[in-house]
Amino acid sequence: MKKTLQDYKSIIEPVWCPGCGDYGILVSIQRALLNLDIDPENIVSVSGIGCSGRLSHFLNTYSLHGTHGRAVPTALGVKAAHPELTVFAVGGDGDGLGIGGGHIAHASRKNVDMNYLLIDNQIYGLTKGQTSPTSPLGVKTKTSPHGVFEDTLDAIPIFLSYDVSFVARANGVDPKSLTQILMEAISHKGMSIVYILSPCRTFPLLDAKGLKAILQPLPEDHPTDNKMVALERAYSDQPIYTGIFYQVQKPTLEDRLQNVITKVCDNTNGGDKYSLDKVLKSFA
Amino acid sequence: MKKTLQDYKSIIEPVWCPGCGDYGILVSIQRALLNLDIDPENIVSVSGIGCSGRLSHFLNTYSLHGTHGRAVPTALGVKAAHPELTVFAVGGDGDGLGIGGGHIAHASRKNVDMNYLLIDNQIYGLTKGQTSPTSPLGVKTKTSPHGVFEDTLDAIPIFLSYDVSFVARANGVDPKSLTQILMEAISHKGMSIVYILSPCRTFPLLDAKGLKAILQPLPEDHPTDNKMVALERAYSDQPIYTGIFYQVQKPTLEDRLQNVITKVCDNTNGGDKYSLDKVLKSFA
Amino acid sequence: MLIIAETKRVLKNFMHTHPEMGTLEMEGNQNHSETDFAIRIGGEGGEGVISAGELFAQVAARTAYQVFTYITYPAEIKGGFSMIQIRIKHEKIYSMGSTVDYLIAFNQQAYDVTIKDLKPGGTLIYDPDEVEIKEDLNAECYPIKLTKLVVDATGAKLGKNVVALGALGHLFGVEFGVLEKLIKDRYGAKGGDVIKNNLNALKAGYFTAEEGNWEKKFKLVSDTQAKEHYMLISGNEAVALGAIAAGCRFVAGYPITPATPIFETLTDLMPKVGGRAIQLEDEIASLSACIGASFAGEKAITPTSGPGLQLMGEQLNLASMLELPLVIVDVQRGGPSTGLPTKTEQSDLKFAIYGTSGEAPRVILAPSSVEDCFYQTIRAFNISERLQMPVVVLTDQSIGYRKATVRMPDLSKIIEVDNSVSGETISIPSPEKIELASRIQMDPEKLNEYKRFLDTATGVSPITSPGLKGGQYLGGGLEHDETGKASYLPDNHLKMMRKRFKKLETLTHILEKNPPEYEGPEEAKIGVIGWGSTEGAIREARMLAEQRGILFRHLHPKILSPLPESQVRNFLAGLKQVIIVEENFTGQFAHFVKAKFGIKPIEIHKSEGVPITPEEIFTGIEKVARIVDEKNIARL
Amino acid sequence: MLIIAETKRVLKNFMHTHPEMGTLEMEGNQNHSETDFAIRIGGEGGEGVISAGELFAQVAARTAYQVFTYITYPAEIKGGFSMIQIRIKHEKIYSMGSTVDYLIAFNQQAYDVTIKDLKPGGTLIYDPDEVEIKEDLNAECYPIKLTKLVVDATGAKLGKNVVALGALGHLFGVEFGVLEKLIKDRYGAKGGDVIKNNLNALKAGYFTAEEGNWEKKFKLVSDTQAKEHYMLISGNEAVALGAIAAGCRFVAGYPITPATPIFETLTDLMPKVGGRAIQLEDEIASLSACIGASFAGEKAITPTSGPGLQLMGEQLNLASMLELPLVIVDVQRGGPSTGLPTKTEQSDLKFAIYGTSGEAPRVILAPSSVEDCFYQTIRAFNISERLQMPVVVLTDQSIGYRKATVRMPDLSKIIEVDNSVSGETISIPSPEKIELASRIQMDPEKLNEYKRFLDTATGVSPITSPGLKGGQYLGGGLEHDETGKASYLPDNHLKMMRKRFKKLETLTHILEKNPPEYEGPEEAKIGVIGWGSTEGAIREARMLAEQRGILFRHLHPKILSPLPESQVRNFLAGLKQVIIVEENFTGQFAHFVKAKFGIKPIEIHKSEGVPITPEEIFTGIEKVARIVDEKNIARL
Ligand SMILES: Cc1ncc(C[n+]2csc(CCOP(=O)(O)OP(=O)(O)O)c2C)c(N)n1
Ligand SMILES: Cc1ncc(C[n+]2csc(CCOP(=O)(O)OP(=O)(O)O)c2C)c(N)n1
Ligand code: SF4
Ligand code: SF4
Ligand SMILES: [Mg+2]
Ligand SMILES: [Mg+2]
């Protein structure tokens, strides 16, 4: 039976504010999965804490809504244990770039084949409007009542410096191109980050119109295998580019782990796995 | 009375293995402080856990040997509270790039005027030889008995992507140039990272001879204010460059905090600080 | 369907008391010396239920009456059940009470969930387009089409809450101008249209009530003197103000419900008093920064809640080992894990006392009211400076979000305690005498043989801070000798463990000197122990019980660890039965008290995310009273 | 200065027992059925003291004797005091003993610190260029110039330890070829020069002893059968092997002393059995990855120590809330904070039981010997799979680094328990019957009304894993209803708290069915309770006490939380005095037992970073015995 969008919807109704950018992102994910015809039972979505972190509630997948900032290492565990699954990690700008920021570089070094959707609304939404690492300098928030005084974190150059093997920026209110990018990310073998700009309606620092004005797709001929070009375009702020900045093939964590198993068993046990008996005897 | 190197030595004798690279780094720090004639009582050295983390024990400063990976935010607290102090954070490759890696970007966004000395020996020394984020692919360590299978973390591009306002790499066994770079870092207003390559004698992945062969100072005319050039040279691995890749002036955390105080008091209290009475009355 | 109240019992209670402090004109010509009623507004999260209630509370607080609010709301930004309860009384209020006199229901859920709490004959205000009410409801009912009115008035759905505020204002005789000013103050910054729409909504509510001939209760006339003498603040704000008053000029934090308002308040206040407020990337970094600031010589604080406190465990240990003063405030929420972020629970006590690997002393305080949040926070700083150790202040969601009228502290009573010479005396400040302790400083003369971790009679050592020449030292998390040098010798470890724990004994000795802190009659055979935010409910339960002839003593320690042992023993003496009341599942304080005192208390636990009520406590105690009586009979 | 031992008491004990299992030829023609002696080697960290000792232990383990080692070393890589003690006995060894028969002192510190532990008439081997010995030492003394010999033999200073190994080998009659092979096996990978130098050092030691006419004790002849029947493994290795045996195929970890060897062993073994070992950037990520792996259906483990366990607090809570099986091993070290990383302490128990915000059930196990580490780890996996909750296994540095001969498990006794249909029965495997529990699986037929968190009679719910069509569910840290959907309703919170804690009751009921686990005579009036690595020392203390006519019962629960209450009550019945022995400062288990059982035990704490000895325990018990006796007298 052909699947429909419904197959990717859980029985739980989204609880975001009316007009929240996250609604569109949810549908784009569902559409990308539908287009790629991935069975829901083979998908695991792990999310952090935040409005964006609620996303996993609404997907008809094996969903794990974990703690604040730990979606990436949790998803890593899922994928390492069961490489056949399609694994998502989802979280906000605070979740992913603040408290959880230390994990990305290391998941990237292992090139875990997960799809990390980082939903940036430039604010801590769920806790009702505090400064996030991407809140613009000078704006007033509940924890910056006299204006944000830290520089804004510039995520794309950072992901590139981590050598994440697939790095894209997407406009959360442009579902068509978002779906397209998500499909590419899911199809990519290795760690992919889709950095999605999404307007928060209740604590508005971004809006659909504003996004449209500043965002522009990367040039058609953008070479996705050139780190320096990617960096240069990542640093551009007029326009701010969307699309796939960088994509390279490297062994995935699955490959790396399998290689070790094969090598060890080949070299020391004629290609077979060790029996428990043999393991114990090696300590005699 | 003119100070001597002795003024910067604590009464505790270093406990590193004979031949450890950290001895030379200790002396270089002491020499840089002596050259800049900074009073020991105005220096705070905060260190993490590791062989390198012991460094604070041997400096005659206010020394705080904290927990694993937290030297940077701890030093941030010192500096934020008392901007007149010269503040060091010190730690190893595991301490700083592994468990503590998430803190650097945020200290950099605040541009805390601290000197972060990240001592990389490509191994977990203190715990006796496990894989660190900079252990080369394929080498065998105690936790990679079948060879390291993760890509090596490339620190300098990462620091550049964080826009750390002073980024340098130094050869730990070349005390003269190290002292020079340390003096520049200490004099720099804002966050400076000196990434020091230091051979571990007991679990040797680097050695003095090898370092000499692969390292080369940045070209004399290297423009320290150009991020893209810095990145390009940071990515070079033949040769691997030492020296100051990048240095820019941005408001320091101290400036930022002081600006808020001044602005708020000017705008709402005629330039004076609020009395406790006034604060309480504002809740009446 | 408008049902007229059977009795006007509630109304009879409205009265005009302290005429010297303000004017509250009764409509009904009755004169009683006691006033005590509660209003509840319930609706969907995001409808502004709470902000309408808080504005109304603000009006009420500027009269001669005391005000007390209780808030509950969902963990989502929008949707779910949200409510505010406002209790207004002629004297100090200790709890939100067990029932309400007025209920404003925005939707069916609000009605269904809370109608059981409306007193017989109470007043119900509801939106008839949203709420269907029971036929046989015993209440005075006023329908008001909130949604329709706001759409008519502004063209949009936003602002039902302001309509309700208008109606409520009319009901309690607030002048329209007073409400108008409130709205302007609150929404002024948002400019033209927002203000205009809100004022239109306000009018719609006010005049609908007027036209509907709602029976006016009394006039809440604003009073300038009340404003001078009282603050209407939340527990979270009281903590923030306590920190400022204690001389804390450094806060590092990370937002987490329900502690965020402490941090938000401090980010606003710190620069005003020349202090520094820094938001960090997580809780680990926040406590690290506080350690750094304290090492540098500053008084530092970080507010958090359960999940954040856990992340701080390792740094809390470090602070204890470095013997640095600092204050951590844990505004407890429903757990475990992410749990019920917006609900209340007293379930972090075990973690606060035991929650570090190895054994590291610290002090645990638990304020018992909004006002107490202010004084215990000051006390926390004093203890932490004097003992050189971290102090954890445990509050909870219900006290943190509760607003209450708090008497303005008398700043002339602040005594700065300079303790730079001798570290041997430590006394505990009280609301009557606000003491501010400065850090025990090293005598610069003695720096020759300076040992940072000198093992003294009290366990407290001389301390230096950067900038003091000759005072350099090594503070570290490794076990060390008196100078700070790492040492793993068996004798040294034992000695330094003793030294660090000796500080708790020092504190215990001082606490023992304080007068007994329990309330209730000597002759009572039942003793009730509680901690933290349940104090008011237990106190009211005690009054309920006394009315029915059941006497009990009530111990409510503010310092939970170390417990002042002899005080507790005093309290226990002569009791037939001890009851321990807590808002958690496993009986955390009971566990602690049992281990310490070998008693076998009856434990009343509530683990539902909402505060325990005086009625619930009373019901429990009544049962115990029966058993104790039987025992008495059996013994005679 | 060579002092001849007064008595040859010690020597008399060396004997040849199990001839069927190997050959150990006595030199002294004595025949006794009991052999029990201890060798200690002490020197500076980095001198290879420990590796020499371990190599020697390996030789000894391949005879008919049992071997038991104890190691202590500084937190620095080089410098500081390092030592290894090897006890060799004809039967099972329970502790490192209180004294030693042979002492090899590399330097003055080693001599000074440990000479007091040498039995009168024992043997001292020392480097006369480094060590000055007391005139009146009552010992048989053999000087050997370790440094000079190694420099002469290899041209460098490295290798004193191999010289000592050679000398020791000769003393115990090990054939040179056996030692040669050991060295080649150990250093083979390092190639030419390293091997050559080591062999030269070995010869130097061996022949110096020979030339010095050291009195040969007996011949340790290697034995192939012993190799088949026994492993010589450390507690850390036993944990790793237990995990592999339990079917765990996923480990995520971060190095931390003294738990690192578990992780190191598993990084080596996992790929061999087709499993996955991943080092992560910190402990938070490690436990997160285990949660992910368990969610995906795998058995997962992470080893850590105190500071790491603290960082895991929040994720431990999450695992409890997600009701996921996983195992955390905490190899306790001296605390608090960084503390004494290489020293032993039993001070993380409180954290393990109480150390999360909110209230999240989990199970705490504490193996009591190296062998027990293997079986309790298997048990931990079984319980965690059956109850769907995290299990924390508490070991410590002394047991983790201790090596002991462990009988090879009988793999034919492994029973795979398929529990996919019914979740209602749970039994606990024992060494006699190695049970391996698989995850309780959902019946695919019933997926229509699937509720992941169904509230059952045992509290244990059906569980699905990714890949199973129709089994998709939401697991989350927010309080949720039976389906997993977030819910903050008061009733639901209480219900789900009950459900989660019910699983502990389920386990308690099962534990109660086990036969009583205590040892010692019924008639004893004194009871001693210990936990974890002190079992052997308490057992030996019991033997010491029995020799002197003092009887006591000994309870050593392996499952510390939940405690099998009726079992403990059984044990307590009829006792006049209970003594609780722990290696910590505050009496953590005692606190727990006091709160649960209302008893007033005498507490023996040792907080010095080194294990408590049988003598120390005995001394304490003797005092108590006197009091109990007096009480008896007073009562008569
Ligand atoms: C350890 C911990 N600290 C703090 C919090 C409180 N908290 C919940 S969500 C959140 C930030 C959410 O911001 P973001 O990640 O940007 O997500 P958004 O809501 O904007 O989608 C915070 C601080 C928490 N749940 N856990
Ligand atoms: C929370 C925590 N986890 C783990 C450890 C154990 N540990 C101590 S030092 C160290 C790594 C040291 O490596 P590095 O930072 O590279 O310093 P080096 O010793 O090489 O100078 C580790 C894992 C610890 N002390 N605390
Ligand atoms: S607060 Fe913002 S991000 Fe959160 S649900 Fe509402 S609109 Fe969306
Ligand atoms: S282990 Fe390596 S890094 Fe550590 S002290 Fe020895 S040589 Fe230096
Ligand atoms: Mg956000
Ligand atoms: Mg290192």
Side-chain angles (χ1 to χ4, degrees), chain A residues 92-94 119-125 132:
Chain A
D93 40 328
I119 301 177
D120 184 4
N121 55 10
Q122 304 189 342
I123 195 86
Y124 284 3
S132 101

Side-chain angles (χ1 to χ4, degrees), chain C residues 483-517:
Chain C
T483 69
K485 183 167 186 268
S487 163
Y488 319 119
L489 293 179
D491 291 351
N492 179 72
H493 182 41
L494 183 58
K495 171 180 164 179
M496 297 308 278
M497 288 297 286
R498 282 210 177 110
K499 174 218 185 298
R500 288 186 293 263
F501 275 93
K502 207 191 295 175
K503 296 190 286 180
L504 290 185
E505 286 163 33
T506 299
L507 181 61
T508 307
H509 290 318
I510 291 157
L511 295 179
E512 313 261 79
K513 288 182 200 142
N514 290 351
E517 283 185 52

Side-chain angles (χ1 to χ4, degrees), chain C residues 76 310 314 317 335 338-339 345 347-348 350 354 356-359 477 479 488 490 493 585-586 588 591 607-608, chain D residues 76 310 314 317 335 338-339 345 347-348 350 354 356-359 477 479 488 490 493 585-586 588 591 607-608:
Chain C
E76 289 79 22
Q310 288 185 323
E314 193 191 12
N317 242 345
T338 310
E345 199 163 88
S347 57
D348 293 349
K350 282 187 186 173
Y354 308 122
T356 49
S357 74
E359 298 167 293
E479 184 60 286
Y488 319 119
H493 182 41
F585 186 77
T586 57
Q588 304 195 355
H591 181 90
S607 173
E608 304 185 355
Chain D
E76 289 79 22
Q310 288 184 325
E314 194 191 11
N317 241 345
T338 310
E345 200 163 87
S347 57
D348 293 350
K350 280 186 186 172
Y354 307 122
T356 49
S357 74
E359 298 167 293
E479 185 59 286
Y488 319 119
H493 181 41
F585 186 77
T586 58
Q588 303 194 355
H591 181 90
S607 173
E608 303 186 355

Side-chain angles (χ1 to χ4, degrees), chain D residues 540-552:
Chain D
E540 297 209 344
R542 188 161 62 78
M543 293 167 186
L544 281 174
E546 268 173 30
Q547 285 166 19
R548 319 228 184 152
I550 301 170
L551 300 182
F552 69 81

Side-chain angles (χ1 to χ4, degrees), chain D residues 217-295:
Chain D
K217 303 308 178 186
F218 49 61
K219 263 191 176 159
L220 284 167
V221 178
S222 68
D223 162 40
T224 45
Q225 262 205 296
K227 197 169 144 57
E228 288 290 303
H229 290 83
Y230 286 95
M231 307 182 276
L232 177 68
I233 53 175
S234 67
N236 279 336
E237 287 167 337
V239 167
L241 290 172
I244 299 285
C248 170
R249 292 294 176 270
F250 187 90
V251 61
Y254 187 74
I256 184 164
T257 306
T260 312
I262 299 178
F263 186 52
E264 290 172 350
T265 307
L266 285 171
T267 54
D268 181 42
L269 295 181
M270 276 300 174
K272 293 180 174 168
V273 296
R276 283 129 213 271
I278 303 181
Q279 180 171 328
L280 282 154
E281 56 278 14
D282 62 18
E283 288 85 352
I284 300 177
S286 300
L287 187 49
S288 301
C290 286
I291 288 174
S294 181
F295 185 77

